[in-house]
Amino acid sequence: MADMRVLLIEDEKNVAGFISQGLRENGYEVDVIHDGGEAARRLGGAGYDLYIIDWMLPGVDGLTLIRSLREKKPGARILMLTARDTVDDKVQGLDGGADDYLTKPFAFKELLARVRSLLRREEEKDPAPLRVDGLELDPMQRKARAGSTDIPLSNKEFDLLLYLMKNVNKIIPREQIATEVWSVDFDRGTNYIDVYINYLRKKLKEAKACPLILTVRGRGYILKPEND
Ligand code: CA
């Protein structure tokens, strides 16, 4: 953990101070930028293990920064901070390339859990590609494709789809998805798993991938081959 470098882009100095101090106490190296314009100029430079980006920033807003960062560094791990808490806002943020979001105000413990989850690298004992119908996931390359169509997935979308494919034809409760994919305890008040599931469904549909992610009311989700 000692070598993990985090870039925090947050204009509220007390919030930035609280986050950076907490992360340093937990062994992370943290650089802080308070201005969106300055951040935009520096994003093309040296890479960080994780980017924490606030949405509302002076100069250039966080969503624009995330889009540009995603273009420059497709594998970047990005956590978005936002005071906006409607589902549409969050989906817009995830659409822009964030891997995860946290709504202000939040407890530091929650931030730390999200950070750990994003930095946790999938340790595959058997990194052979997984296949369900024509959908193929390569854990080594972190690539997904349906037939000859590449499916662009963010890190968390990839982790979620990987988990669903490993458990094909099994009903997986939300609690289990939260623990296994996000490394956090499930909070019934949040809907990030549903947001990600919908997002995956949309991307699979766009790529004409056959497996379906079904909702089993009151129980969870299941990934099924189409002709099962
Ligand atoms: Ca702000």
Side-chain angles (χ1 to χ4, degrees):
M1 198 60 77
D3 295 316
M4 288 292 179
R5 298 182 68 228
V6 178
L7 179 62
L8 171 63
I9 306 169
E10 164 64 82
D11 59 313
E12 288 169 65
K13 298 210 165 135
N14 56 339
V15 177
F18 150 80
I19 295 172
S20 55
Q21 189 192 342
L23 287 176
R24 283 177 188 133
E25 283 168 7
N26 281 275
Y28 296 88
E29 283 180 38
V30 187
D31 289 340
V32 183
I33 300 176
H34 296 296
D35 179 75
E38 190 193 342
R41 288 190 292 279
R42 285 173 52 181
L43 280 186
Y48 288 81
D49 297 294
L50 175 71
Y51 297 81
I52 302 177
I53 304 180
D54 186 36
W55 186 317
M56 304 297 280
L57 292 167
V60 176
D61 70 273
L63 190 58
T64 305
L65 289 177
I66 288 169
R67 288 203 178 107
S68 131
L69 179 59
R70 188 53 78 205
E71 259 176 41
K72 288 180 181 132
K73 303 184 198 298
R77 292 172 165 79
I78 307 172
L79 173 64
M80 181 180 73
L81 301 181
T82 170
R84 303 169 175 225
D85 61 357
T86 70
V87 173
D88 281 352
D89 286 336
K90 286 168 184 170
V91 169
Q92 205 188 342
L94 301 174
D95 227 342
D99 293 301
D100 200 358
Y101 58 76
L102 200 52
T103 306
K104 295 175 178 178
F106 51 81
F108 182 75
K109 204 172 79 167
E110 173 73 8
L111 176 92
L112 194 59
R114 300 295 180 90
V115 167
R116 284 199 178 118
S117 162
L118 278 171
L119 290 173
R120 188 173 57 128
R121 288 169 201 276
E122 188 76 25
E123 284 172 19
E124 286 297 315
K125 286 196 183 104
D126 177 12
L130 295 167
R131 283 187 195 84
V132 176
D133 284 346
L135 177 64
E136 183 179 313
L137 219 62
D138 182 344
M140 286 293 282
Q141 305 281 333
R142 292 188 71 82
K143 284 195 168 146
R145 81 160 60 126
S148 57
T149 308
D150 286 332
I151 308 175
L153 298 176
S154 71
N155 287 308
K156 275 294 149 194
E157 286 165 0
F158 187 91
D159 292 342
L160 177 57
L161 186 56
L162 181 65
Y163 192 69
L164 291 170
M165 287 177 73
K166 279 182 182 168
N167 292 284
V168 62
N169 283 321
K170 287 185 205 153
I171 297 173
I172 315 172
R174 284 182 178 76
E175 290 83 347
Q176 191 177 327
I177 293 176
T179 313
E180 295 297 323
V181 180
W182 272 269
S183 310
V184 295
D185 288 334
F186 184 63
D187 174 359
R188 293 201 169 276
T190 63
N191 65 349
Y192 59 91
I193 292 173
D194 311 80
V195 170
Y196 271 84
I197 291 280
N198 285 332
Y199 216 53
L200 273 183
R201 279 176 176 151
K202 192 172 146 229
K203 289 195 175 177
L204 293 183
K205 195 176 167 194
E206 278 168 4
K208 300 189 168 56
C210 289
L212 301 169
I213 304 171
L214 305 175
T215 305
V216 185
R217 186 175 282 274
R219 295 181 64 195
Y221 292 106
I222 183 168
L223 181 105
K224 284 175 94 73
E226 192 178 44
N227 301 311
D228 197 41

